[in-house]
Amino acid sequence: MELIQAPNEPGARGRILAAAARLFYRQGIRSTGIDQVIAEAAVAKASLYAHFGSKDALVTAWLEQRDRAWFAWFDRAVLEVASEPLPRLLGVFDVLGRWFGSEGFRGCAFINSALELNQPGHPSLPIVARHAAQLESRLTALAREAGLPEPERVGRQLFLLVEGAVVCAAIGRGPEAAVEARAAAARLLGVA
């Protein structure tokens, strides 16, 4: 079972969204056909289109739900890892390491989606951009709380370390990517 879990939504809409979430994350958006989502959700095709209208709308709804679930998990896990802002900044990488080592980890749903849906005007791309901006904003806020000089610059640099670690973990480095990114972050923060 994957570490990040979306809440169960009742009814046919919820079953469709849950099936799409499993399939899109596990095998990719383009590799997942509507008929496969319908079969896994055990609904009629008309039900899918009544609730979502199109595959693009279903992808958008999945990413919206994933965004909320991911940040609920991330925010809670980072708060649990340390009580002070500076240790929390390093703890971000400990949290990521647990995610990278979790069953079913297949990289970042947002990075994966951006690569798959890289076409101007796709309705899901603003959600991907917003997710990245929110993550950078959270890192900047922690840098500010820690009293670091130039917190915006620190937040951007930590964001790049986080995203790089996610990609490296997805292509085979696993939790070790978080360990290496944590060491780089410690040097950046002057606590190495």
Side-chain angles (χ1 to χ4, degrees), residues 12-30:
R13 185 182 194 286
R15 289 196 316 274
I16 294 165
L17 199 49
R22 284 189 301 275
L23 294 167
F24 290 159
Y25 186 68
R26 186 175 60 225
Q27 62 191 41
I29 295 166
R30 293 193 188 278

Side-chain angles (χ1 to χ4, degrees), residues 110-140:
F110 300 91
I111 294 171
N112 298 347
S113 296
L115 294 172
E116 279 198 76
L117 305 172
N118 190 15
Q119 47 188 286
H122 193 283
S124 296
L125 292 179
I127 299 162
V128 171
R130 185 187 73 219
H131 180 84
Q134 287 176 356
L135 178 55
E136 185 177 324
S137 176
R138 280 167 163 82
L139 296 169
T140 298

Side-chain angles (χ1 to χ4, degrees), residues 18-168:
R22 284 189 301 275
L23 294 167
F24 290 159
Y25 186 68
R26 186 175 60 225
Q27 62 191 41
I29 295 166
R30 293 193 188 278
S31 297
T32 301
I34 289 296
D35 290 338
Q36 189 179 13
V37 173
I38 290 165
E40 184 151 327
V43 298
K45 188 177 274 194
S47 181
L48 184 139
Y49 287 108
H51 288 287
F52 297 99
S54 68
K55 183 177 180 181
D56 284 349
L58 178 58
V59 169
T60 300
W62 164 60
L63 288 173
E64 289 279 4
Q65 182 185 65
R66 178 73 179 199
D67 179 66
R68 290 187 302 274
W70 195 90
F71 278 119
W73 164 79
F74 179 79
D75 292 343
R76 182 179 56 255
V78 169
L79 281 173
E80 290 170 356
V81 79
S83 60
E84 297 298 317
L86 189 57
R88 260 192 238 141
L89 277 170
L90 292 175
V92 162
F93 297 95
D94 300 331
V95 167
L96 293 175
R98 286 196 300 265
W99 179 38
F100 299 165
S102 68
E103 184 181 338
F105 173 76
R106 298 215 358 100
C108 173
F110 300 91
I111 294 171
N112 298 347
S113 296
L115 294 172
E116 279 198 76
L117 305 172
N118 190 15
Q119 47 188 286
H122 193 283
S124 296
L125 292 179
I127 299 162
V128 171
R130 185 187 73 219
H131 180 84
Q134 287 176 356
L135 178 55
E136 185 177 324
S137 176
R138 280 167 163 82
L139 296 169
T140 298
L142 283 172
R144 188 173 291 111
E145 288 173 31
L148 296 172
E150 300 182 76
E152 289 80 12
R153 181 186 59 81
V154 172
R156 279 191 307 273
Q157 291 174 342
L158 289 172
F159 172 76
L160 292 172
L161 286 173
V162 166
E163 294 294 91
V166 171
V167 171
C168 287

